[in-house]
Amino acid sequence: MTKTPPEALNIAPIATPLGSAQIVFDGAGVLRAFDWDSHRERMDRLLRRHYGGVALRDAPAPGELSDPFQAYFGGEAGALAAIPWATGGTVFQNRVWQALCEIPAGVTWSYGRLAQHIGAPSAVRAVGLANGANPVGLVVPCHRVIGANGSLTGYGGGLERKRWLLAHEGAELGRLL
């Protein structure tokens, strides 16, 4: 997490079994954003919100970022935890995003459980909004949050991708199908 926005950011494509994605990273190789090509507008909006009008430069992804993505999609469900990330956001959003990183691969939590985990049990809707504003999706695993009744709920990359990611990580989908 950072309060000082970078002057420029780098962007690189990442090939995945779910379609092409983009990673945005700073000069130190710290991930600042991830999103699917089909949701580029959303990623650009979140980048503007967190960093203002920072310039994006095409650059090759450093191995410290690309290797964990390859390992994750190759079957190592916990590989993304090795990726360093930073973002803007409010104090509350950052609490939610840090808590998301505590949900193990293959496990799902409800929004209510996430709210309780951060000590704000009445803030379920605010937790949902913070979850949806996560600019480093997948690495900060917002896809692991589901409805209180066990149903799939919104995901910035689409519900089919969410379903695939949860199955890939070994989550018991049961009612989620």
Side-chain angles (χ1 to χ4, degrees):
M1 295 174 287
T2 184
K3 295 292 182 199
T4 306
E7 292 182 23
L9 293 171
N10 304 303
I11 187 166
I14 295 284
T16 81
L18 298 170
S20 295
Q22 298 289 322
I23 59 170
V24 175
F25 53 98
D26 63 22
V30 175
L31 184 70
R32 299 299 185 124
F34 168 91
D35 219 325
W36 311 100
D37 282 357
S38 57
H39 292 80
R40 175 66 189 263
E41 186 177 308
R42 175 188 180 277
M43 183 178 76
D44 289 342
R45 185 176 62 252
L46 290 173
L47 285 169
R48 281 191 306 276
R49 186 177 301 155
H50 292 285
Y51 304 115
V54 67
L56 289 179
R57 302 180 297 217
D58 290 331
E64 296 82 25
L65 295 178
S66 61
D67 292 349
F69 278 104
Q70 288 180 343
Y72 174 82
F73 286 110
E76 294 178 40
L80 298 178
I83 293 179
W85 61 274
T87 189
T90 66
V91 171
F92 181 81
Q93 287 173 326
N94 278 287
R95 272 181 41 212
V96 171
W97 298 334
Q98 288 293 328
L100 287 169
C101 292
E102 296 174 30
I103 305 172
V107 174
T108 57
W109 287 5
S110 69
Y111 292 97
R113 179 170 179 189
L114 185 56
Q116 287 178 332
H117 184 77
I118 65 166
S122 64
V124 175
R125 288 181 192 263
V127 163
L129 290 172
N131 199 48
N134 171 17
V136 285
L138 197 55
V139 173
V140 173
C142 53
H143 63 280
R144 295 181 187 152
V145 181
I146 60 172
N149 65 357
S151 63
L152 283 183
T153 55
Y155 173 62
L159 290 181
E160 287 306 312
R161 282 192 178 114
K162 181 172 185 164
R163 183 177 287 112
W164 189 96
L165 293 167
L166 291 173
H168 178 68
E169 293 178 358
E172 289 189 32
L173 297 181
R175 293 181 289 187
L176 302 180
L177 299 173

